[in-house]
Amino acid sequence: MLPVSEVEAIILNLVKPFNPEIDSENLPLSQALNRILAEDIKSELDFPHWDNSAMDGYALNYDDITDVQDLQNFKLAIASEDIPAGKAIAQSLKQGECVRIFTGGMLPKGADTVIMQEDTERIENLLKLKIKPTQGEYVRRQGEFIKAGTTLLKAGTKIGATEIGALASARCQEIKVYRQPKVALISTGQELVSLENSEALQSGQIIDSNVYALSALVQQVGAIAIPYGTVQDDQEILEKIMEQAIHNADIVISSGGVSVGDYDYIDEILEKMGADIHVRSVAIKPGKPLTVASFTSIHIVNRSEDRILYFGVPGNPVSAMMSFWRFIRGAIAKLNGANEIYWHPQFIQAITTEDLHAQGRRETYLWGKLNYIKGIPTFQPTHNYSSGNLISAIGTNAIAILRVNQTYVPAGDEALIMLI
């Protein structure tokens, strides 16, 4: 068994990110949510485009009030024309004059400071200041956020709502993103029945839930799931399905068939097909049986990619999902050109509400729910850690990790938590 950290490093070293020139497409901005940017985008505009007000108030020239000591008897003349957002006035402020301005309004020439209306008193066409503002207060300067020609977003950025808003502001109607990785999914096992045929469920049989759970996980990370259905433990049939999957996908995930049973054929078939097997088991609980293999272009006809990755995960549903959360989603992120922060799981410390136990021989992953109680991250473990009990994983959003040789974390202490 290899350590978890070593397996993660092996997998990431095997992944060659997509080529931005070949493995990319141009999309309308409205369709780019959760996609990965394939090239840097520079802003064509200054942000803000011009000096503008950050408050409803009055724009003035600070020089007019620099030497004022007695605010009680000092007043500024108010220009006749207000400045709402979206309107510019051609004339400059005269000496001793201010102008009513609203949030987002463009500062007129000669103005460099805004005093908010709550700090003023208007007396007909004169303005009395209750306080003396600082120079430049409540003014958003042209180019203060970003200058034209500066990189707005870097390649590898995941496009979320704020990125879409910023790109729209920068007049980007279309952007270049990496194509979505294609992930083939194969479920193996004599006991499995597809959901479509579940009415014929017999004693000893179970419904194939892995294809649905893994498809959902694949889609969550921005890839395309290609289910190849449920395959019985027939070596010849399984080999044909695996060949099809390898030729049609960037990554293949099969569940089941990677342990040491008489019907566990995955590793044997991979070796027959010329795969390089890099991992056969990992010191993790659950999820010990894990096959990581690769096919080079030598073994695959008419493929431009240098390497196709194959993951054989355990058949137990929670084990299969754990393998995905810990190892496979990072591989998909790197393949898809995402920034390195997406390659690795996110870890935090949280208070566990109950005792956590492990045998200590393998890195142990205990699933549960992370909440914030009075701002403090708090982990509530589930009460059944059978890797075959998918029901116990409902609502899971975090995993407590006990390292090798760590057997106990008492309730009220901090535990290492992996966010999922």
Side-chain angles (χ1 to χ4, degrees):
M1 287 187 298
L2 298 176
V4 170
S5 59
E6 184 176 339
V7 170
E8 180 184 35
I10 289 171
I11 291 170
L12 291 177
N13 285 336
L14 288 170
V15 177
K16 181 180 178 181
F18 281 157
N19 184 325
E21 298 304 318
I22 300 173
D23 299 302
S24 62
E25 58 183 333
N26 292 316
L27 284 183
L29 185 60
S30 60
Q31 298 177 22
L33 183 64
N34 292 327
R35 300 295 293 271
I36 305 298
L37 196 60
E39 63 182 2
D40 292 352
I41 293 183
K42 293 185 178 181
S43 177
E44 297 180 359
L45 306 168
D46 287 334
F47 283 89
H49 307 326
W50 16 256
D51 294 353
N52 70 89
S53 177
M55 281 285 177
D56 292 344
Y58 293 86
L60 54 87
N61 188 321
Y62 191 79
D63 287 346
D64 289 338
I65 64 171
T66 300
D67 299 324
V68 174
Q69 301 298 324
D70 183 12
L71 287 178
Q72 188 66 28
N73 295 307
F74 175 80
K75 296 180 182 64
L76 290 168
I78 302 174
S80 59
E81 190 174 5
D82 293 348
I83 307 178
K87 177 184 177 182
I89 59 173
Q91 64 268 33
S92 301
L93 280 185
K94 300 174 183 176
Q95 185 175 359
E97 188 179 48
C98 66
V99 63
R100 183 81 167 99
I101 195 168
F102 296 88
T103 302
M106 183 177 179
L107 259 68
K109 294 178 181 178
D112 62 1
T113 301
V114 172
I115 183 169
M116 63 179 180
Q117 63 185 36
E118 293 88 339
D119 293 329
T120 65
E121 180 183 354
R122 181 167 185 162
I123 306 170
E124 295 182 350
N125 292 325
L126 297 175
L127 188 71
K128 182 178 178 180
L129 310 185
K130 296 179 182 178
I131 65 169
K132 189 175 183 179
T134 58
Q135 188 170 19
E137 192 168 14
Y138 298 125
V139 173
R140 297 183 289 217
R141 295 292 181 190
Q142 180 175 346
E144 178 183 330
F145 305 157
I146 192 171
K147 295 284 189 183
T150 304
T151 299
L152 177 62
L153 291 175
K154 288 185 173 295
T157 299
K158 186 175 182 179
I159 304 299
T162 54
E163 288 76 16
I164 284 179
L167 289 166
S169 298
R171 298 192 299 196
C172 294
Q173 298 186 48
E174 189 177 81
I175 60 173
K176 184 178 181 180
V177 297
Y178 287 103
R179 69 175 178 85
Q180 294 175 283
K182 293 180 288 186
V183 181
L185 300 169
I186 305 169
S187 295
T188 72
Q190 201 70 26
E191 76 282 12
L192 297 179
V193 175
S194 68
L195 182 59
E196 293 79 5
N197 298 322
S198 59
E199 291 184 2
L201 195 67
Q202 303 294 319
S203 296
Q205 295 182 323
I206 59 174
I207 295 172
D208 175 18
S209 63
N210 281 350
V211 67
Y212 291 93
L214 291 172
S215 290
L217 291 173
V218 165
Q219 292 173 66
Q220 280 182 351
V221 296
I224 298 171
I226 308 174
Y228 275 80
T230 305
V231 184
Q232 303 298 305
D233 292 320
D234 182 302
Q235 193 166 357
E236 184 176 341
I237 295 175
L238 182 56
E239 183 176 345
K240 290 180 180 179
I241 296 296
M242 288 170 63
E243 285 180 348
Q244 292 176 25
I246 291 162
H247 280 81
N248 293 320
D250 304 295
I251 289 176
V252 180
I253 305 173
S254 64
S255 59
V258 290
S259 192
V260 292
D262 292 343
Y263 299 99
D264 294 327
Y265 299 130
I266 296 296
D267 285 12
E268 183 180 342
I269 294 173
L270 288 170
E271 289 175 341
K272 179 182 177 182
M273 295 172 66
D276 297 314
I277 299 181
H278 309 275
V279 176
R280 295 180 187 270
S281 65
V282 56
I284 190 173
K285 183 180 181 181
K288 173 186 170 184
L290 175 67
T291 293
V292 180
S294 63
F295 291 86
T296 65
S297 55
I298 297 173
H299 304 113
I300 304 172
V301 180
N302 298 325
R303 291 299 298 270
S304 61
E305 292 85 349
D306 290 333
R307 184 179 290 128
I308 308 301
L309 290 187
Y310 190 105
F311 293 94
V313 303
N316 278 327
V318 180
S319 297
M321 296 179 75
M322 200 69 70
S323 298
F324 188 94
W325 284 324
R326 187 61 185 88
F327 302 112
I328 302 176
R329 66 176 174 180
I332 293 174
K334 183 177 180 182
L335 177 67
N336 201 20
N339 290 332
E340 189 171 354
I341 59 171
Y342 297 108
W343 302 356
H344 309 279
Q346 289 183 285
F347 299 99
I348 65 168
Q349 294 287 329
I351 301 296
T352 179
T353 61
E354 298 181 27
D355 294 349
L356 303 175
H357 297 275
Q359 294 177 336
R361 294 194 292 269
R362 288 180 274 162
E363 195 163 289
T364 301
Y365 287 50
L366 306 174
W367 50 100
K369 298 177 183 178
L370 182 72
N371 298 297
Y372 287 83
I373 300 176
K374 295 182 179 179
I376 298 173
T378 304
F379 179 75
Q380 174 65 54
T382 189
H383 293 104
N384 186 308
Y385 289 111
S386 167
S387 59
N389 184 3
L390 187 59
I391 306 305
S392 71
I394 292 175
T396 293
N397 65 354
I399 311 292
I401 300 175
L402 276 66
R403 300 293 197 189
V404 175
N405 298 322
Q406 185 181 17
T407 59
Y408 176 59
V409 177
D413 277 12
E414 285 190 338
L416 179 65
I417 303 297
M418 182 177 78
L419 305 179
I420 61 170

